[in-house]
């Protein structure tokens, strides 16, 4: 089970003062020492945390999977092709949101995404689509040629009691359906040290992508330890 650590919020703290610290590159190096199998950054249109320079330097330094999260815009597609991350995860992006609020609108965006996937893949970069846990969205992801999907776990993470059970079942069903259709399947968003175990136990999952909770713990106990503790909860090598 791959653990991709999202270091965006290290840059969030740096940008709060337009300073040189803390450095996401150092955070990435420590995350890798702690056992991270991948490093994720989201280069947002408004550059609120990760900057273009961070991405370039990470590409030079990171030898594990570098996953670039991005909106499917011409600008970002150009940057992805120029930088050459190991994986591009296409996410929806709204300026006013605090964080990614949900999966892609696969019905409305289908043709636009098909084109974006084709352009990125033509540069030799595999593409993952961040989708809601709906069977129909999995179907569309496969139809437009993505090799991978990341199932949105935010609703599971935020729900309580019976609702959480229902959301869990949706994630589980989407993972099962995607695997049956030959896609590689990841999951992420809102996962933390308390709710990750059930998701990690889902059969067939390739990996989890986690940011906020790991960076939050890293502030208190250090990045290496925070990653090590998360890896231990995933339970599988
Ligand atoms: N996966 C995707 C596609 C995301 O957009 C994010 C947030 O940037 C994450 C995973 C990580 O979510 P969190 O920070 O809640 O762990």
């Amino acid at each position: 089970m791959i653990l991709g650590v999202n270091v965006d919020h290290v840059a969030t703290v740096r940008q709060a003062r337009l300073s040189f610290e803390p450095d996401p590159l150092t955070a990435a190096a420590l995350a890798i020492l702690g056992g991270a199998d991948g490093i994720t950054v989201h280069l947002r249109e408004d550059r609120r945390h990760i900057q273009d320079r961070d991405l370039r330097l990470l590409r030079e330094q990171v030898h594990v999977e570098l996953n670039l999260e991005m909106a499917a815009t011409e600008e970002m597609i150009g940057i992805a092709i120029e930088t050459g991350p190991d994986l591009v995860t296409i996410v929806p992006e709204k300026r006013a949101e605090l964080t990614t609020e949900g999966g892609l609108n696969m019905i409305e965006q289908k043709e636009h995404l098909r084109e974006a996937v084709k352009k990125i893949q033509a540069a030799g970069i595999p593409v993952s689509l961040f989708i809601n846990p709906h069977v129909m969205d999995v179907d569309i992801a496969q139809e437009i040629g993505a090799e991978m999907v990341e199932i949105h776990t935010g609703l599971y993470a935020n729900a309580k009691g019976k609702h959480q059970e229902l959301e869990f079942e949706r994630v589980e069903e989407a993972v099962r359906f995607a695997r049956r259709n030959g896609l590689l399947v990841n999951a992420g968003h809102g996962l933390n040290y308390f709710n990750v175990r059930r998701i990690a136990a889902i059969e067939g999952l390739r990996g989890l992508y986690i940011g906020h909770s790991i960076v939050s713990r890293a502030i208190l106990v250090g990045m290496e330890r925070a990653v090590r503790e998360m890896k231990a909860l995933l339970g599988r090598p």
Side-chain angles (χ1 to χ4, degrees):
M1 163 82 56
I2 284 174
L3 173 61
V5 176
N6 181 318
V7 295
D8 288 350
H9 288 325
V10 177
T12 301
V13 176
R14 180 191 62 191
Q15 296 309 110
R17 284 291 181 92
L18 298 177
S19 167
F20 62 93
E21 62 183 3
D23 177 17
L25 210 67
T26 310
L30 292 169
I32 294 166
L33 285 182
D37 304 288
I39 297 296
T40 297
V41 288
H42 183 174
L43 186 66
R44 295 186 75 102
E45 190 190 4
D46 63 9
R47 307 299 196 273
R48 68 173 74 155
H49 38 57
I50 292 296
Q51 306 297 304
D52 299 59
R53 176 174 179 272
D54 296 322
L55 179 63
R56 282 198 304 275
L57 294 175
L58 283 163
R59 178 59 300 176
E60 283 179 24
Q61 289 288 323
V62 169
H63 61 281
V64 295
E65 177 192 271
L66 179 65
N67 173 29
L68 172 62
E69 274 181 26
M70 53 173 244
T73 62
E74 282 308 313
E75 182 200 12
M76 287 301 156
I77 293 170
I79 290 172
I81 291 171
E82 201 182 307
T83 314
D86 301 298
L87 178 66
V88 162
T89 300
I90 300 181
V91 299
E93 194 175 299
K94 296 191 207 117
R95 254 179 194 269
E97 68 192 357
L98 286 178
T99 177
T100 314
E101 284 169 350
L104 292 158
N105 186 333
M106 296 298 284
I107 296 174
E108 256 177 38
Q109 295 281 303
K110 182 172 163 181
E111 292 315 316
H112 177 66
L113 289 169
R114 191 198 301 275
E115 283 308 302
V117 168
K118 214 192 298 171
K119 283 184 196 159
I120 300 163
Q121 286 174 338
I125 306 166
V127 181
S128 178
L129 299 176
F130 185 53
I131 61 172
N132 292 314
H134 298 153
V135 164
M136 193 169 60
D137 289 353
V138 173
D139 248 343
I140 299 173
Q142 187 192 17
E143 189 203 320
I144 66 176
E147 44 266 275
M148 224 184 271
V149 288
E150 181 179 333
I151 307 291
H152 178 53
T153 50
L155 292 177
Y156 158 79
N158 291 330
K160 301 256 179 305
K162 259 197 329 219
H163 295 292
Q164 190 168 51
E165 198 52 42
L166 199 72
E167 294 301 337
F168 176 78
E169 283 165 18
R170 288 196 173 126
V171 172
E172 200 179 31
E173 192 194 0
V175 173
R176 209 180 309 131
F177 187 73
R179 287 297 297 143
R180 227 186 293 136
N181 284 267
L183 291 163
L184 294 169
V185 196
N186 304 302
H189 211 280
L191 297 177
N192 60 39
Y193 294 82
F194 307 97
N195 64 19
V196 76
R197 250 193 277 229
R198 280 196 87 187
I199 297 290
I202 296 175
E203 194 75 35
L205 263 185
R206 169 184 176 270
L208 299 179
Y209 290 91
I210 306 177
H212 182 83
S213 187
I214 292 178
V215 173
S216 300
R217 186 170 288 210
I219 290 171
L220 303 177
V221 306
M223 181 58 93
E224 257 188 271
R225 179 169 153 193
V227 174
R228 213 178 310 118
E229 289 175 356
M230 183 58 82
K231 278 286 279 193
L233 292 175
L234 304 192
R236 282 184 269 165

